Amino acid sequence: MNKFKEIFLDLEQKILAKEYPPHTLLPSENQLIKMYSVSRETVRKALNLLRDAGYIQKKQGKGSIVLDLNRFDFPISGLTSFKELQTAQRIPSETSVVEIRKIAVSPSLHEITDWPVAAEAWRLIRQRRIDGEVVILDKDYLIADIIPELPENKAQKSIYDYFENDLGLEIAYAQKEISVDPVNKELRDLMDLHPEDQHVVTVRSLVYLEDTRCFEYTESIHRLDKFRFVDFARRRKA
């Protein structure tokens, strides 16, 4: 095996074992040259492999910063519940229900959903805690003539399981919008944001049944450093 690959594998193992924790610097090139008794070119090849594998970010004047590997993939185009993602990706998470109550549909919510103004709807706010930190805040609005009851124990586990298996609803598709939004006091209070965090990623979804009725509007708010959103795209010639 090439020496630079051996160095890559050794550094990879140390990063995974958190001997070099996220957001810290790897030893400098000069230090690595001495540690492994190799040339600068060999060290740089190993660092380039680490960079290409997503383990480090090289910054001029600083060195090689170890990236946070504890990220989870959230599909943009799919319609998958957090519980299903948690199970599929083995995400060590906890859900806490912050608020669950009926409200009257406001004019602003009517503009988004086309639900009648003053109609009854559920407002559900849940914290998603991963590795002890609240890094997702989910706000769900559910029209009450389709979702007449919303038990808290169901909301804490999986509302989609409740909708499909208890209420017999056929969830069909969603329209999604993704934006980067400024942090406000509510998000500071309900999420574990870093002091330097000024923005969050918000995924807004309108969710429809097979009969094309919109029954849910969701705002899923994510801390920037913890998640990445993925999609599959196939080229189509115009």
Side-chain angles (χ1 to χ4, degrees), residues 2-234:
N2 291 329
K3 187 65 178 178
F4 70 88
K5 289 184 180 177
E6 291 180 11
I7 296 171
F8 161 77
L9 291 173
D10 185 58
L11 290 173
E12 177 188 47
Q13 186 275 325
K14 288 176 178 175
I15 290 171
L16 293 174
K18 298 198 173 173
E19 291 183 41
Y20 300 124
H23 312 299
T24 63
L25 291 170
L26 286 183
S28 68
E29 287 188 3
N30 288 335
Q31 290 171 318
L32 291 172
I33 288 168
K34 291 178 182 178
M35 285 169 58
Y36 293 103
S37 301
V38 295
S39 68
R40 188 174 301 276
E41 181 183 1
T42 299
V43 163
R44 287 182 173 173
K45 284 183 177 179
L47 292 176
N48 285 338
L49 286 179
L50 288 171
R51 180 198 61 198
D52 294 343
Y55 289 111
I56 63 170
Q57 176 67 39
K58 297 170 80 172
K59 284 200 173 181
Q60 190 171 4
K62 284 193 173 183
S64 300
I65 301 171
V66 179
L67 298 178
D68 187 355
L69 300 177
N70 196 16
R71 294 173 178 230
F72 302 99
D73 292 343
F74 284 79
I76 294 170
S77 59
L79 184 48
T80 307
S81 72
F82 181 84
K83 181 68 175 177
E84 290 165 339
L85 288 171
Q86 177 192 23
T87 301
Q89 298 186 36
R90 299 180 181 178
I91 302 173
S93 71
E94 298 175 3
T95 295
S96 299
V97 176
V98 176
E99 177 184 316
I100 180 169
R101 64 185 177 93
K102 279 186 175 179
I103 62 169
V105 173
S106 64
S108 59
L109 187 56
H110 161 76
E111 287 295 319
I112 297 169
T113 62
D114 205 30
W115 297 338
V117 173
E120 281 193 332
W122 289 99
R123 173 180 161 94
L124 171 64
I125 300 179
R126 291 172 294 174
Q127 295 170 315
R128 310 292 195 179
R129 188 173 282 100
I130 297 175
D131 293 333
E133 295 183 306
V134 179
V135 293
I136 305 176
L137 187 70
D138 282 344
K139 298 181 179 181
D140 295 280
Y141 298 87
L142 302 146
I143 191 68
D145 67 351
I146 297 176
I147 312 294
E149 299 296 333
L150 187 57
E152 184 171 341
N153 66 321
K154 299 293 185 180
Q156 190 164 353
K157 293 178 181 177
S158 172
I159 56 174
Y160 274 28
D161 179 74
Y162 171 62
F163 297 159
E164 293 176 322
N165 297 317
D166 289 39
L167 300 185
L169 299 176
E170 294 186 41
I171 302 170
Y173 61 94
Q175 295 175 335
K176 295 189 179 185
E177 172 189 284
I178 300 173
S179 62
V180 177
D181 299 322
V183 169
N184 57 30
K185 184 178 184 303
E186 179 190 33
L187 298 182
R188 291 268 179 215
D189 290 342
L190 294 179
M191 298 179 71
D192 291 318
L193 299 177
H194 299 132
E196 66 272 19
D197 286 338
Q198 298 300 317
H199 294 86
V200 290
V201 172
T202 305
V203 182
R204 296 177 175 87
S205 304
L206 287 166
V207 189
Y208 296 81
L209 300 176
E210 279 287 350
D211 60 12
T212 73
R213 287 182 296 167
C214 174
F215 77 100
E216 178 186 23
Y217 169 64
T218 297
E219 295 179 357
S220 188
I221 302 160
H222 299 251
R223 200 173 79 183
L224 283 173
D225 69 311
K226 201 67 174 176
F227 298 92
R228 62 188 176 190
F229 297 90
V230 297
D231 196 8
F232 173 80
R234 187 182 298 280

